Amino acid sequence: MKHEQITEAGKSIRGAVHTDRRHDSAEKHVTGRAEYCDDISEPEGTLHAYLGVSTVAHGLIKSTDFSAVLSAPGVVDVLTAKDVPGCNDISPTGLKDEPVFPTEKTEFHGQPLFAVVAETREAARRAAELAKIDYEVLPHALDPISAIEAGHPHVTAPLKLERGDASTALASAENRLKGRISIGGQDHMYLEGHIAFAIPGEDDDVIVHCSTQHPSEAQHMVAHVLGVPSNAVTVNVRRMGGGFGGKESQMNLFCAVAAIAAKKWNRPVKIRPDRDQDMTATGKRHDFVVDYDVAFDGEGRIQGVEGSFAARCGYSSDLSGPVTDRALFHADNAYFYPHVRLVSRPMKTNTVSNTAFRGFGGPQGVVAAERMIEEIAYALGKDPLEIRKANFYGDATDGRNLTPYHQEVEDNILPRLIGELEVSSDYQARRKAILEHNAHSSIIKRGIALTPVKFGISFTATWYNQAGALIHIYNDGSIHLNHGGTEMGQGLNTKVAQVVADTLQVDFERIKITRTTTEKVPNTSATAASSGSDLNGMAALNAAEQLKERLTAFAAEKWNVAPEDVRFANNRVEIGEQSLSFDELAREAYMARVHLSAAGFYKTPKIHWDRAAGKGRPFYYFAYGASCSEVSVDTLTGEYRIERTDILHDVGRSLNPILDKGQVEGAFVQGMGWLTTEELWWDDAGRLRTHAPSTYKIPLASDRPRVFNVNLAEWSENKERTIKRSKAVGEPPFMLGISVFEALSMAVASVADYRECPRLDAPATPERVLMAVERLKTDG
């Protein structure tokens, strides 16, 4: 691996940008020395909380009896809504529809109703089961279709995207088809579950250590429920053991409970649910049911599209508004729709309130787009890749570059990306061989698919596209770096430190990366929307450049040279004929009373969005990718395996290629799991039955493609002025897993000689694959 960059002086520094650099905590991760929230030493007197939850999906709370709970060994007290000193609401969007604890009604099975506070976690956990609650059971609806049929409201305002005249295009179509696809949800299954540890201070003060992607929101919510200003609450996050969106807003409940209890008893309080309670009480990826109506010509070119995207949002709004919005933003994926009308239906259901998950609704929109492409291909008897190419966005010269939300696609590199992957994966020859194999094999069927991804980068809530950073240079030349992003294993801290090292031309090891804390950088955005490096990298760059400018001005004045004669290189500073180590310059600057601390700031330019009109530029740029996957399916059992996957992904000019490649690999496997093995299932009573690793199946190491070739498009460079011309890598590669879903569809379609689209629902579990095979055999 490369660890060095040659500077203009012909020397090198360790850990500059655009070079491979291992994760700053990699060794700690694999040796178990990395400290997480539950590793923090507990002060004497620490109490422990555990949630008591509803046992019905929808009901009025007629009475509660906590006498058995309070008399249980070790129990200190029970927290309910009456113990909330401030506002009993933790809704991240301010709609006031998500109480810490409900007072009159429970709206999903497993909803937290109270918390037991005890001397030990085990005592609290056991006592929580002793509560006696009497309900008047009400009717419930668990999925978006039954919610629509029951007349349930939307949890937040729907969105409509429209361009052209979709109705006329559909009515006058040469070819037209309608369909429905159900797209399942997904549990985050982070290795470290939710946890919050609150330590009370004097006056209104409280310090909360927790595992959250959004420290500022946790700070605001704790202040909100305590009825104190935000400056009284400090939230600290050193690292998370995974997040994937599940710790963006869902941590609010745990932080609030810990803080309320800590201030009530003036003792430290920790809350950590078991895995099954973590899975039942916190939100997941949204399930969608998508109805589509598409018009196309004899060559497979799309002429018009209508789509309705109904989502299982749960009992409250949480982040369902922006999630369902983003599903519409990506319902085009890589394809130009001349006439289009898309609507969202964020349905209220009697299930846990669903939330952010890697891709934030985008993957569901992309799956719908690929289903329409697949339908057209089978209807016309063509290779789906041929239909994909026919419908790619063009450019301003052909007028085929306007999205349904009226943003121009200005940098479409997909034709090149797809072309290169088609050649490097040997797609055409392999597809021909698979067709021949399927013609002569009655049991093992194979499939192959090459699918693209176009993903918009930026928060659609424009005000979230900002970040801050704080850098100190101490008088011995060591550097302290803090920024508003959170580290959940993705390597954000490593990348941001590389930016600072590169700017000041010092070795990476000189920089100490510190925990994320609301004390140092205020009003931060969530580390989400693939924006961690984009925003925080630019904020750190701004702070580093301020310091470099001050040091340059000081050196130029002290040694009487022009500022342009001061050069930073290889841990030294060349000042005309003088040459000082970076340490020496820091000391000289300190002695001369130069300010060696800088707060950096960045806000994303160019973006704007008018939701009411459904028009604007919500995304600063697009990231692209493509994957080619081959599968084998046993038509007697529905079981399958992934034989080979080839990926070519666009990360612009990578800040750290080895970390980015790891993100692409992990995202692909996680996306593949969502579409194949990860199935959420509720029984008729509204109980989540897939609430533990024993019943919810994520991909194992043995499920990865047998041949797995992952490459970055090294020729790509972001045309927008992002951090060092890189592109975001967190979410876009998640959708590369769709190639597996499409390959499975081809294998199943071979049973009926490819005459019809199998219309697999997601996840395409072996059971669903087998049912599709049997259905096509019967139809045939």
Side-chain angles (χ1 to χ4, degrees), residues 78 106 110 148 286 290 321 345 358 401 517 602-603 612 633 638 745:
V78 173
T106 177
I148 291 171
H286 290 66
V290 181
R345 302 202 68 179
R358 197 174 195 170
N401 73 327
T517 175
Y602 174 74
K603 62 179 181 179
V633 175
S745 187

Side-chain angles (χ1 to χ4, degrees), residues 429-669:
R430 289 167 60 203
R431 177 177 165 83
K432 182 179 178 182
I434 287 170
L435 292 171
E436 292 176 358
H437 166 87
N438 288 344
H440 297 96
S441 176
S442 60
I443 296 176
I444 303 299
K445 299 290 188 179
R446 291 160 61 190
I448 190 170
L450 197 162
T451 59
V453 172
K454 173 183 70 66
F455 194 80
I457 304 299
S458 289
F459 287 98
T460 51
T462 305
W463 58 91
Y464 279 145
N465 296 284
Q466 58 175 301
L470 180 65
I471 299 177
H472 305 317
I473 300 176
Y474 294 102
N475 64 25
D476 65 351
S478 62
I479 298 170
H480 173 112
L481 167 63
N482 189 272
H483 58 85
T486 55
E487 175 63 56
M488 61 194 93
Q490 81 278 41
L492 173 62
N493 283 343
T494 303
K495 287 185 173 181
V496 176
Q498 284 180 274
V499 169
V500 175
D502 191 80
T503 305
L504 297 176
Q505 283 295 292
V506 296
D507 290 339
F508 180 93
E509 292 81 3
R510 184 186 294 267
I511 300 165
K512 182 175 181 60
I513 308 162
T514 59
R515 68 188 180 192
T516 308
T517 175
T518 55
E519 281 185 320
K520 289 187 177 179
V521 179
N523 307 317
T524 58
S525 298
T527 305
S530 306
S531 65
S533 295
D534 278 12
L535 295 178
N536 295 288
M538 288 294 268
L541 176 66
N542 176 249
E545 286 180 335
Q546 291 179 48
L547 291 167
K548 187 175 182 179
E549 186 177 341
R550 285 181 212 158
L551 288 170
T552 297
F554 160 69
E557 181 181 4
K558 180 174 177 64
W559 282 278
N560 195 27
V561 300
E564 54 267 27
D565 291 331
V566 179
R567 295 186 303 113
F568 290 70
N570 192 37
N571 298 289
R572 300 191 68 80
V573 185
E574 310 297 329
I575 311 167
E577 300 299 318
Q578 292 279 341
S579 179
L580 274 70
S581 69
F582 186 85
D583 300 355
E584 291 170 329
L585 180 64
R587 180 68 179 175
E588 290 283 353
Y590 163 72
M591 296 298 291
R593 296 182 295 178
V594 174
H595 184 36
L596 295 178
S597 177
F601 183 76
Y602 174 74
K603 62 179 181 179
T604 309
K606 296 187 178 182
I607 53 176
H608 55 91
W609 173 238
D610 183 342
R611 191 177 188 275
K615 296 180 180 180
R617 179 178 175 164
F619 305 121
Y620 188 30
Y621 63 88
F622 295 102
Y624 301 91
S627 61
C628 177
S629 291
E630 179 181 341
V631 302
S632 294
V633 175
D634 185 335
T635 57
L636 297 181
T637 65
E639 294 177 304
Y640 48 81
R641 72 185 185 200
I642 302 158
E643 304 290 358
R644 175 177 167 181
T645 292
D646 296 79
I647 290 172
L648 183 59
H649 196 73
D650 162 39
V651 295
R653 195 167 177 219
S654 174
L655 290 175
N656 186 322
I658 199 68
L659 287 186
D660 284 349
K661 189 175 179 182
Q663 283 289 291
V664 173
E665 292 169 345
F668 169 83
V669 171

Side-chain angles (χ1 to χ4, degrees), residues 12-164:
S12 59
I13 61 168
R14 293 191 297 271
V17 295
H18 309 312
T19 62
D20 291 347
R21 180 80 190 184
R22 73 181 181 187
H23 192 292
D24 70 287
S25 295
E27 193 173 296
K28 295 177 185 176
H29 290 160
V30 299
T31 60
R33 291 188 293 109
E35 290 195 359
Y36 295 88
C37 191
D38 208 24
D39 296 316
I40 297 172
S41 297
E42 297 172 8
E44 185 176 353
T46 295
L47 297 174
H48 298 264
Y50 201 84
L51 298 173
V53 300
S54 169
T55 56
V56 301
H58 191 204
L60 298 176
I61 301 172
K62 296 173 66 176
S63 65
T64 57
D65 180 359
F66 296 122
S67 57
V69 179
L70 292 168
S71 62
V75 171
V76 174
D77 206 347
V78 173
L79 282 182
T80 63
K82 64 180 175 57
D83 296 297
V84 179
C87 184
N88 183 27
D89 178 71
I90 48 172
S91 168
T93 53
L95 293 181
K96 297 187 177 180
D97 60 353
E98 190 172 344
V100 178
F101 299 123
T103 55
E104 300 175 353
K105 184 166 62 172
T106 177
E107 299 199 71
F108 73 91
H109 197 293
Q111 181 175 6
L113 303 181
F114 61 93
V116 179
V117 181
E119 297 291 344
T120 68
R121 181 177 176 276
E122 185 65 13
R125 178 174 171 272
R126 291 186 179 279
E129 300 295 320
L130 303 177
K132 296 177 182 178
I133 301 177
D134 188 21
Y135 306 95
E136 178 184 331
V137 178
L138 302 173
H140 61 260
L142 302 177
D143 62 80
I145 300 305
S146 62
I148 291 171
E149 292 170 350
H152 279 210
H154 296 130
V155 294
T156 187
L159 174 67
K160 179 174 72 173
L161 300 181
E162 189 168 19
R163 198 192 66 250

Side-chain angles (χ1 to χ4, degrees), residues 106 254 278 315 348 397 479 552 584 611 667 690 740 758:
T106 177
F254 302 97
D278 191 304
Y315 84 100
K348 178 169 183 171
T397 61
I479 298 170
T552 297
E584 291 170 329
R611 191 177 188 275
T690 48
V740 173

